Amino acid sequence: MSLAIRFSNVHKRFRRTRVLDGLDMDVPQGAIYALVGANGAGKTTSIRVLMNILRADSGSAEVLGTDSRRLGPDHFRTIGHVSENQEMQEWMTVGYFLEYLKPFYPTWDDAWATELIRRFRLPLDRRLKDLSRGMKMKAALASSLAFHPKLLVLDEPFGGLD
């Protein structure tokens, strides 16, 4: 069984608050998993450890067979990640944003990107700063799907969607 994600005895604290306490989880490739829990349960922290945004205090996480602490540009070309607090260059139009990202992903599919734009009703000529929260999330989701990622990691991407 090939694994998309593996957490092995991951621990993470923020000062005195224990957020992750021995997280163990295997996610096979091709599977759909959801982390469900109350606010503060560690869902976003787990994803941030997985995406090498935060370091675990101990334990390890792997993404597509690679230690998450060693993820680099070549790995991120195959991983789509959308976060609830996605940072985007707000001065860009939706069209410019997608064109800007295209060269970073060798598997970018123009036809699929066009279809996503149509399905999500994204206004290509509008600046990201002028979009609703839900429309910004649609733009982020389209940008993460347009290159056919091997792994798609979503951290509350549907907040604000209609």
Side-chain angles (χ1 to χ4, degrees), residues 70-83:
R70 290 179 170 56
L71 291 176
D74 287 341
H75 299 103
F76 285 112
R77 286 185 182 101
T78 64
I79 302 168
H81 177 230
V82 179
S83 171

Side-chain angles (χ1 to χ4, degrees), residues 21-35:
D21 188 18
L23 174 61
D24 286 305
M25 182 172 64
D26 290 346
V27 178
Q29 287 189 11
I32 298 173
Y33 271 54
L35 299 176

